[in-house]
């Protein structure tokens, strides 16, 4: 950002200069060209010009560097009015100080990974970051990078001869890339009320592995247990406040079950470990019940942004101009990451809606841009009510439909052909696998099967799982060993002691810790992917045979269907339903999922885009990652860390209709 | 880098445009008026030449940079090989071929100065630096604001903790001390070689601590000792009960001695690990460059913040450092900062005259006037185990006198001169002028008489140096004395030795009860190491430090041990052999009162060989204090022990010096 601003500054100051000189001594210049004997050649003028630019540049740089640091702030204040205190400064003035130690659990993608052992092509990268930081090496040798970032297809661990390990310490996820903060703002604010490294712990883990494998390979869960115990011991018995973000939420659910489970499979902490060590779990943007985005990610490595790019420049990404086969490489890489399967929607039709119903109904106004407004909190409560009826035709329950008409018709009018029966015996085409040099399971499916998949037309959250099992049996077999996506009928069934159920809140009980508190904090007010319209890819053999149909648009401007994607309310990644349901209903009071009656609170933060560029990513953002810089959220976190309870924060803080939607979900509690 | 390249692209495109417009102007002018020629007498102005020149240089530079970046990585290696012949495998690769793999988890304990420190809370002047490194890394921010930096890196004079409103904390993780500054490795080479045989972050732990604080205060403020305990326990648990190999370096050695006592002491004062904690968790302690008994360098630092290098610099450019041309008062600022760091007291020589020698004897020298001339030997380094390391000619040198005023007193036998007692001289006879000095040092409270009295005492041994320091800096030493002790215990069972101030002194503590443990002392030899000093009284001015190393004093012969006012002995440039080796050679060897359970000790010396050429960087056979961490032989030993070898497997002691002979001369009750 600052780089851009600086360059812009010089650019603008330079050009008037340049123009001016042309006009003023227009004849002064020409004498140079005409000077006899010594010719002012093209090279000379190039050199002259570069030298001129450089000198100006250095001069300005010098000025910039000698400028006192306070000037940019004055400028900002002059433009935007006085800045509000950051929450850390504000709360420090209120007298809050460091109290409970804090544990951060980063989510998928945001944690850094570094190389400890690699192949020949990665020479000299020892202990350099492969993921996070600058990604500098990625640009130079992309294939080498993809090779090292991928895991072994069979074991789900590193391929032989490669060791990529998570970075540890607060630096693991403070910034994702240079200037793109993740935890840094929260850490800085905590530091203002007195936190430091001994009272904060970043539970970094290798987010590519399945949760249990992080323990098998790196003993990450054991480290987390030991570090939390150390934090409690060195802070005079004060319990920790855990702050997981995104997939870290699921990881920490897994941890809480693991730590209580007896020793060979679990941590052997005993059934009261959580009660003794954890004060509160403040989940930020928690995909408790998964995210539909992961389905499109697994199915065709597309999310909305990529799909749109593909639509704009169809040749570029598909035709493999450079022979790079970007998508297949990406798909291959992400598919080796077991952890992505933790995000597949859980709870099936009961939670996500069936063919003809969905819990959200038609209650989100996708098109309306909320007014940027400083008093937004006053009006937003009612903002959901001005809904147009143009969302009538949306049926979120159908997570994948083939064709827009199919997505909108009532289920009784759709004729579906069962893909599993119809095509199981189809012949594999021999030439498919041989001509493509990158192995993806799609190449083992024949054309018959692909057509059969399309003929089934509509998939709900329940049948999505079958679909994925059908198109990628090996992948799902590996995933099925580590994650489960169902709803438990009887939580006391001994099979639920297996670790694959531990990250699914619908198949586990919360720990026996009546004094603990669970918060779900998430952004709302941003259209979030909830369902897709797909089409068959006019198929060359080597490409991925399914694509989001970006030509499918809703009827009006405000429609929830845009570019083949149905949007619902959420934080751009996680729909409200997934983030809020457990705390709104599944765990509220004493339920079978929450036998000890742990108190739950929902804290929603309505999205307001940054007022101007100077604000960067905004202090009122509700987007999945940017919410970590949301002042209201930081204030809540700091208050709880300094000792407040959920009641003192003001209990629930809700903008969406999550309670209404949760009431529509018919789950036995 | 990318920025440069991008800028170039824009620049060249812009320049093309400008060329076009120039040409247009040109043509227009031609059409317009021939009278324009009248101006053409003014040719290339100086500015144009400058611009042209800068442009040409930049273009060539960018072009070369582009070529450099486009060059495959292997070319520099080919070049290096062509010049030096094939490079030897680094020890990690070599041992991996032998089949060694990661076995025991490894704990690294960094020394003084090498650990990074970062800012967590600061004053106004350090705005925007929260989370940045104050120490280590690039030091970038602090060239700009040195006084601000000094303010933040200094500790409070009374408490020994951070001043109010400032929180400077150690960096944690392997990054804390892998590189001290960009390109200057500390542990990075060791870590890389450990990684070759399969180590990774889960089996390596960097026990980073704030090296400015006294050892016990790191626990009080940061709970550093508790963290080390918890992390070692975690390492042992996650490795199926395999004990850790601890590798402390420099001051980390003493820190770890302190830790071993702390962890066994019951809970309120210690870690409450029980008396068998070390036996259960530690396989071996591999001390690298260990100042077990302190280092004379720290005396010079405390006394006048000088060491050899600074003293020489001062001698060559006397005006520059002393006259304070810029009014910066560099030395006093440095001294003030340095003196607030309690940890520096841990390096004061321990054991007094028993260890370091008295007025007329020292363990390293056969007898006072002995002029044993050892052969100057260039060929010795190749001939292996039996060679002695040789540093300089010890003729006329008496190492026992750590500080002497004037050369003749350094050399004359003690019976031939009188020494005046300085302690009874009142100090505060002339303090009127001290208000002129805006930097507070205890020297300003000393009067001229006191300074003269100090000089009249003429000669100080390791024992009387302590008295001297107590005299010139009483507040400082009072703070130091509450955290460190430098004596020799008569009776180790005396309950007073349960106090933490004795824990880092090997002469006042017992080793833990862990008969299976091993203690190594690995250190470099063959480099001249400061062992004693000749001082003079500085030309008086009230605001100066009144004592200076007398750099004009040199020995009689070319290779004399006395050079530039400094007596040198054998060692690794910082720690003399006697300090690094004595405990393992004699004090702890076998069952002694300092080592009741008979922990086995090994001495591993590494003879210094300078790097053959510039391409080798800091060398793979270096013996100097920090570069030793890149010595292939050291790394190989560490790797072998980490992979499971015992001291016997390594080949026991490996000695180049006369350390055993010297230890014999030290008359210490065992």
């Amino acid at each position: 950002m600052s780089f851009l601003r600086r360059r812009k500054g010089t650019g603008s100051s330079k050009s008037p200069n340049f123009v001016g000189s042309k006009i003023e001594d227009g004849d002064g210049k020409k004498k140079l060209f005409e000077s006899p004997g010594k010719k002012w050649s093209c090279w000379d003028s190039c050199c002259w010009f570069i030298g001129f630019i450089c000198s100006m540049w250095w001069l300005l740089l010098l000025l910039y560097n000698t400028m006192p640091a306070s000037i940019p702030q004055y400028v900002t204040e002059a433009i935007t009015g006085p800045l509000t205190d950051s929450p850390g400064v504000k709360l420090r003035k209120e007298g809050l100080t460091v109290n409970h130690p804090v544990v951060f659990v980063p989510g998928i993608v945001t944690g850094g990974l570094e190389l400890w052992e690699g192949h020949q092509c990665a020479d000299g990268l020892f202990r350099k970051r492969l993921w996070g930081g600058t990604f500098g090496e990625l640009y130079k040798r992309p294939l080498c990078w993809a090779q090292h970032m991928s895991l072994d297809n069979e074991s789900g661990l590193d391929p032989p001869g490669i060791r990529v390990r998570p970075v540890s310490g607060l630096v693991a996820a403070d910034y994702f890339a240079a200037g793109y903060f993740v935890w840094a703002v929260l850490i800085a604010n905590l530091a203002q009320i007195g936190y430091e490294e001994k009272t904060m712990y970043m539970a970094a883990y290798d987010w590519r592995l399945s949760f249990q494998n992080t323990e098998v390979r790196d003993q990450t869960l054991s480290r987390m247990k030991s570090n939390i115990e150390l934090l409690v011991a060195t802070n005079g018995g004060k319990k920790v406040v855990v702050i997981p973000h995104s997939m870290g939420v699921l990881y920490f659910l897994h941890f809480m079950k693991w730590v209580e489970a007896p020793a060979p499979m679990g941590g052997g902490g005993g059934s009261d470990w959580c009660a003794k060590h954890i004060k509160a779990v403040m989940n930020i943007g928690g995909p408790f019940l998964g995210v539909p985005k992961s389905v499109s990610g697994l199915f065709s490595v597309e999310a909305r942004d990529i799909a749109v790019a593909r639509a704009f420049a169809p040749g570029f990404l598909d035709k493999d101009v450079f022979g790079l086969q970007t998508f297949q490489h990406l798909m291959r890489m992400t598919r080796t990451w077991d952890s992505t399967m933790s995000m597949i929607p859980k709870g099936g039709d009961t939670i996500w809606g069936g063919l003809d119903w969905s819990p959200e109904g038609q209650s989100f106004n996708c098109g309306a841009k909320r007014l940027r407004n400083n008093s937004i909190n006053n009006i937003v409560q009612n903002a959901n009510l001005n809904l147009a009826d143009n969302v009538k035709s949306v049926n979120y329950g159908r997570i994948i439909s083939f064709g827009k008409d199919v997505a909108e018709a009532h289920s009784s009018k759709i004729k579906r052909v069962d893909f599993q029966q119809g095509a199981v015996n189809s012949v594999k085409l021999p030439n498919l696998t041989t001509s493509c040099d990158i192995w993806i399971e799609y190449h083992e499916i024949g054309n018959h099967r692909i057509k059969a998949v399309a003929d089934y037309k509509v998939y709900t959250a329940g049948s999505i799982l079958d679909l994925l099992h059908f198109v990628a049996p090996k992948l799902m077999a590996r995933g099925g060993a580590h994650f489960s996506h169902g709803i438990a009928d009887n939580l006391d069934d001994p099979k639920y002691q297996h670790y694959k159920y531990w990250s699914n809140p619908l198949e586990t009980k919360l720990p026996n810790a009546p004094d603990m508190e669970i918060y779900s904090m998430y952004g709302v007010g941003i259209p979030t992917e909830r369902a897709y319209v797909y089409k068959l890819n006019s198929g060359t053999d080597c490409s991925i045979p399914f694509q989001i149909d970006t030509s499918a648009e809703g009827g009006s401007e405000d429609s929830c269907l845009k570019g083949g994607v149905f949007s619902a309310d959420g934080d751009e990644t996680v729909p409200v339903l997934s983030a809020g349901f457990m705390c709104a209903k599944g765990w509220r009071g004493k339920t079978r999922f929450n036998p000890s009656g742990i108190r739950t609170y929902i804290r929603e933060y309505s999205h307001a885009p940054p007022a101007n560029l100077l604000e960067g990513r905004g202090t009122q953002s509700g987007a999945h990652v940017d919410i970590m810089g949301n002042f209201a959220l930081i204030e809540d976190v700091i208050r709880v860390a300094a000792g407040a309870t959920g009641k003192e924060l003001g209990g629930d803080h809700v903008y969406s209709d999550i309670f209404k939607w949760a009431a529509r979900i018919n789950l036995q509690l | 880098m990318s920025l440069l390249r991008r800028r170039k692209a824009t620049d060249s495109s812009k320049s093309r445009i400008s060329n076009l417009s120039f040409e247009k102007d040109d043509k227009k002018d031609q059409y317009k008026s021939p009278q324009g020629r009248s101006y053409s007498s003014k040719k290339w102005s100086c500015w144009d030449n400058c611009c042209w020149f800068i442009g040409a240089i930049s273009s060539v530079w960018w072009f070369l940079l582009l070529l450099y970046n486009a060059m495959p990585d292997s070319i520099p290696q080919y070049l290096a090989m062509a010049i030096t012949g094939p490079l030897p495998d680094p020890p990690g690769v070599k041992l991996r071929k032998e089949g060694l793999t990661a076995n025991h988890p490894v704990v690294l304990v960094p020394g003084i100065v090498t650990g990074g420190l970062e800012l967590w809370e600061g004053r106004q002047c350090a705005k925007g630096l929260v989370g940045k490194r104050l120490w280590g890394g690039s030091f970038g921010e602090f060239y700009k604001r040195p006084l601000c930096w000094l303010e933040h890196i200094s500790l409070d004079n009374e408490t020994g903790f951070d001043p109010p409103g400032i929180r400077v904390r150690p960096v944690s993780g392997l990054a804390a001390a892998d590189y001290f500054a960009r390109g200057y490795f500390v542990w990075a080479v060791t870590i890389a070689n450990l990684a070759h045989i399969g180590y990774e972050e889960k089996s390596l732990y960097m026990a980073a601590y704030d090296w400015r604080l006294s050892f016990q205060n790191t626990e009080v403020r940061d709970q550093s000792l508790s963290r080390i305990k918890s992390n070692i326990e975690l390492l042992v648990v996650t490795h199926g009960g395999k004990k850790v190999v601890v590798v402390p370096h420099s001051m980390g050695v003493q820190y770890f001695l302190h830790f071993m006592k702390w962890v066994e002491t019951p809970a309120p004062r210690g870690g409450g690990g029980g008396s068998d904690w070390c036996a259960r968790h530690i396989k071996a302690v591999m001390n690298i460059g260990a100042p077990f008994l302190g280092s004379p360098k720290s005396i010079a630092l405390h006394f006048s913040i000088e060491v050899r290098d600074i003293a020489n610099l001062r001698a060559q450019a006397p005006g520059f450092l002393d006259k304070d041309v810029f009014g910066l008062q560099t030395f006093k600022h440095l001294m003030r900062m340095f003196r607030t760091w309690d940890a520096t007291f841990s390096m004061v020589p321990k054991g007094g005259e028993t260890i370091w020698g008295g007025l007329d004897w020292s363990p390293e020298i056969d007898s006072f006037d002995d002029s044993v001339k050892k052969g100057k030997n260039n060929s010795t380094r190749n001939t292996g185990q039996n060679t002695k390391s040789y540093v300089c000619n010890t003729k006329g040198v008496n190492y026992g006198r750590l500080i002497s005023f004037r050369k003749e007193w350094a050399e004359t036998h003690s019976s031939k001169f009188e020494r005046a007692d300085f302690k009874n001289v009142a100090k505060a006879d002339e303090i009127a002028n001290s208000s002129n000095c805006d930097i507070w040092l205890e020297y300003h409270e000393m009067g001229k008489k006191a300074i003269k009295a100090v000089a009249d005492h003429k000669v100080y041994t390791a024992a009387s140096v302590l008295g001297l320091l107590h005299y010139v800096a009483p507040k400082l030493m009072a703070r130091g004395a509450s955290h460190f002790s430098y004596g020799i215990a008569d009776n180790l069972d005396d309950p007073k030795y349960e106090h933490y101030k004795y824990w880092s002194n090997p002469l006042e503590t017992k080793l833990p009860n862990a008969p299976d443990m091993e203690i190594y002392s690995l250190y470099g030899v063959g480099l001249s190491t400061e062992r004693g000093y000749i001082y003079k009284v500085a030309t008086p001015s009230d605001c100066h430090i009144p004592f200076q190393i007398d750099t004009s004093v040199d020995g009689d012969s070319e290779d004399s041990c006395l050079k530039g006012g400094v007596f040198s002995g054998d060692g690794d440039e910082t720690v003399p052999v006697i300090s690094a080796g004595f405990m393992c050679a004699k004090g702890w060897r076998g069952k002694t009162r300092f080592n009741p359970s008979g922990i086995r000790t090994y001495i591993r010396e590494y003879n210094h060989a300078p790097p053959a050429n510039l391409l080798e960087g800091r060398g793979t056979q270096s013996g100097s204090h920090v570069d030793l961490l890149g010595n292939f032989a050291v790394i190989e030993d560490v790797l072998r022990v980490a992979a499971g070898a015992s001291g016997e497997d390594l080949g026991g002691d490996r000695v180049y010096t006369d350390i055993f002979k010297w230890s014999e001369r030290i008359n210490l009750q065992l």
Side-chain angles (χ1 to χ4, degrees), chain A residues 494-549:
Chain A
K495 80 169 183 175
Y496 288 116
Q497 285 164 14
H498 191 272
Y499 60 77
K500 75 174 179 180
Y501 299 103
W502 287 347
S503 60
N504 181 355
L506 298 172
E507 291 177 308
T508 49
K509 292 180 203 171
L510 285 181
N512 178 26
D515 292 335
M516 208 169 103
E517 291 177 327
I518 294 183
Y519 296 79
S520 184
M521 316 163 84
Y522 52 89
V524 296
I526 307 181
T528 306
E529 294 166 51
R530 180 68 173 77
Y532 301 91
V533 177
Y534 264 87
K535 68 176 179 193
L536 277 177
N537 192 3
S538 45
T540 59
D541 289 334
C542 290
S543 58
I544 297 162
F546 306 103
Q547 262 186 21
I548 292 177
D549 183 0

Side-chain angles (χ1 to χ4, degrees), chain B residues 608-657:
Chain B
H608 175 76
N613 52 47
L614 274 179
L615 286 171
E616 270 191 17
R618 285 154 67 200
T620 58
Q621 297 177 54
S622 174
S624 83
H625 193 60
V626 175
D627 296 352
L628 192 63
L629 290 169
N631 185 315
F632 280 6
V634 174
I635 293 174
E636 192 177 323
D637 284 353
V638 170
L639 258 56
R640 283 190 190 279
V641 172
S646 69
E648 297 298 324
D649 301 338
L650 288 190
D653 293 330
R654 162 188 163 136
V655 176
Y656 294 99
T657 62

Side-chain angles (χ1 to χ4, degrees), chain B residues 100-112:
Chain B
L100 267 65
T101 54
N103 191 356
H104 294 275
V106 172
V107 176
L108 310 173
V109 188
I112 196 167

Side-chain angles (χ1 to χ4, degrees), chain A residues 280-323:
Chain A
V281 184
M282 306 191 78
N283 303 292
I284 301 177
F288 285 105
L289 303 174
V291 284
K293 214 174 191 170
S294 72
V295 172
S296 69
L298 283 170
F299 194 53
S300 64
V301 212
E302 283 179 304
R304 184 167 42 189
D305 315 327
I306 297 179
V308 170
R310 179 180 265 179
F312 275 124
F316 184 67
L317 287 175
D318 290 341
K319 291 281 167 59
D320 286 329
V321 190
F322 308 110

Side-chain angles (χ1 to χ4, degrees), chain A residues 3 7 14 18 22 26 29-35 38 40 42 44-55 57-58 73 92 114 116-117 126-127 141 163 165-166 168 170 187 191 194-198 200 217-219 222-223 226 230 234, chain B residues 3 6-7 10-11 14-15 18-19 21-22 25-26 29 36-37 39-40 42-44 48 51-52 54-56 58-59 62 73 96 118 120-121 127 167 169 172 174-175 178 191-192 195 198-202 204 221-223 226-227 230 234 238:
Chain A
F3 168 66
R7 286 212 43 230
K14 221 181 296 160
F18 178 57
K22 234 193 320 176
K29 283 267 150 29
K30 111 215 112 179
K31 66 205 154 182
L32 295 173
F33 297 105
E34 297 172 15
S35 58
K38 219 196 232 165
W40 182 255
C42 172
D44 288 331
S45 41
C46 274
C47 287
W48 182 88
F49 194 76
I50 290 170
F52 180 71
I53 298 269
C54 286
S55 315
W57 173 258
W58 287 328
Q73 203 190 329
R92 182 190 203 162
E114 61 189 12
W116 278 82
E117 185 182 349
F126 175 66
R127 284 187 61 220
R141 21 191 159 176
R163 282 185 291 148
R165 296 289 179 265
S168 69
L170 291 179
I187 292 172
Y195 279 87
E196 55 195 58
E197 195 137 4
K198 70 173 175 181
M200 294 192 278
R217 197 192 70 182
D218 298 337
Q219 288 85 43
S222 303
R223 282 160 170 268
S226 156
L230 176 67
T234 55
Chain B
L3 176 137
R6 236 180 295 153
R7 282 205 47 229
T10 35
D11 287 348
K14 247 181 236 165
S15 65
S18 72
N19 283 341
S21 57
F22 285 162
D25 283 359
D26 206 3
D29 278 323
R37 286 186 177 270
Y39 294 93
S40 66
K42 201 171 145 204
K43 289 185 196 159
W44 289 75
D48 290 328
C51 286
W52 184 89
I54 292 172
S58 316
S59 310
W62 287 327
D73 288 334
R96 182 193 205 160
E118 62 189 10
W120 278 89
E121 184 182 348
K127 220 177 162 194
R167 281 184 291 148
R169 296 289 180 265
S172 69
L174 292 180
D178 54 350
I191 293 171
Y199 281 89
E200 55 197 59
E201 194 138 7
K202 68 171 176 182
L204 288 173
R221 195 191 71 181
D222 297 337
Q223 288 86 45
S226 303
R227 282 160 175 272
S230 157
L234 175 66
T238 55

